[in-house]
Amino acid sequence: MLVCRWHGMTLGPGGRPGWQPFPAHDDGVLAWVRLDGAGAPTEAPALGPRPAGPVVAAVATVVGRCEPADVVANRLDPWHGAWFHPYSFTALRVVSAPPPDAPDPEDRFLVEVTFTLGRRFGVPVRAEFSCPDARTVTMEIVGGEGAGSVVETHATPLGPGPDGRPRTAVIEAVVAHSDRPGFGHVRRVAGVLRPLMRGAARRLWRDDIAYAERRYALRSRT
Ligand SMILES: [Fe+2]
């Protein structure tokens, strides 16, 4: 049973006139609705790695005039962080060899990068990128500060906009984790942290969505 906290309307499994229920899934960070279309439906969305401990999670959404493939292409370009987002990343190195025990080595790559915090400080980490499904790219911190943390980028098609061109929502979940003893205190101020995390993700995606839109515009040029 679903209850609208605003209107008080209740919806059971059968819906009501004008309201059709869809299968839904709550993964703890994102709420999913299954809109059956192309491809065989699955019981639950394919999720990538998630931290196994306490987390602070924030979700940012940006909409672009492009197709999901343009968003995924941007996210799977491991080198662009250094020259496209110099305010956030430095000392970026793409480690060519995937981990030898990776189940799908062709879908994965490793990056060593330093997240910059202001002009004088940076946090070096090792991150692994993988794709749990065709429109999702996951970046997991596998070494360094915040190991286990995940940035999960979902490119969701929204259909055509008023101009007839496609719209794609980038829904990015930042799921931060740390084994440091003080992380419990950090979680208490999650309400303050979440807007900062969302703001950092939106700043990166302001640049990245321009990249995806340029890619789409060039491809659709007649
Ligand atoms: Fe980017």
Side-chain angles (χ1 to χ4, degrees):
M1 178 70 72
L2 186 67
V3 181
C4 171
R5 293 174 66 181
W6 193 347
H7 303 93
M9 188 176 78
T10 57
L11 285 171
R16 56 196 292 162
W19 294 79
Q20 181 195 348
F22 291 95
H25 178 82
D26 182 348
D27 71 20
V29 176
L30 296 170
W32 299 72
V33 176
R34 195 179 82 195
L35 305 171
D36 293 343
T42 55
E43 276 303 306
L47 286 179
R50 286 276 176 91
V55 301
V56 175
V59 179
T61 302
V62 175
V63 175
R65 197 164 69 173
C66 59
E67 292 174 332
D70 302 305
V71 169
V72 171
N74 165 268
R75 193 70 181 135
L76 287 184
D77 166 8
W79 291 273
H80 87 266
W83 57 266
F84 213 44
H85 312 294
Y87 46 82
S88 285
F89 305 108
T90 185
L92 186 147
R93 189 171 82 90
V94 178
V95 182
S96 55
D101 56 347
D104 304 296
E106 68 273 13
D107 283 356
R108 290 160 190 264
F109 55 87
L110 277 173
V111 169
E112 288 174 348
V113 66
T114 297
F115 287 100
T116 53
L117 306 166
R119 289 191 182 178
R120 300 179 59 182
F121 296 99
V123 181
V125 298
R126 182 171 255 244
E128 182 181 304
F129 286 71
S130 59
C131 299
D133 69 37
R135 293 198 301 256
T136 301
V137 182
T138 298
M139 184 195 78
E140 181 186 12
I141 306 296
V142 292
E145 185 67 43
S149 300
V150 163
V151 177
E152 203 175 86
T153 308
H154 301 274
T156 304
L158 301 178
D163 55 5
R165 297 192 160 218
R167 297 292 189 277
T168 295
V170 179
I171 299 168
E172 189 162 271
V174 180
V175 190
H177 167 76
S178 174
D179 287 327
R180 283 180 184 256
F183 191 64
H185 300 294
V186 172
R187 289 180 72 211
R188 273 186 225 129
V189 292
V192 176
L193 274 182
R194 274 194 201 100
L196 297 174
M197 293 163 74
R198 269 196 293 270
R202 283 205 194 102
R203 184 181 183 191
L204 291 169
W205 273 105
R206 256 204 311 273
D207 294 338
D208 284 327
I209 209 69
Y211 174 120
E213 289 182 336
R214 275 197 298 276
R215 195 174 180 272
Y216 170 77
L218 182 63
R219 190 170 65 255
S220 60
R221 203 159 67 184
T222 51

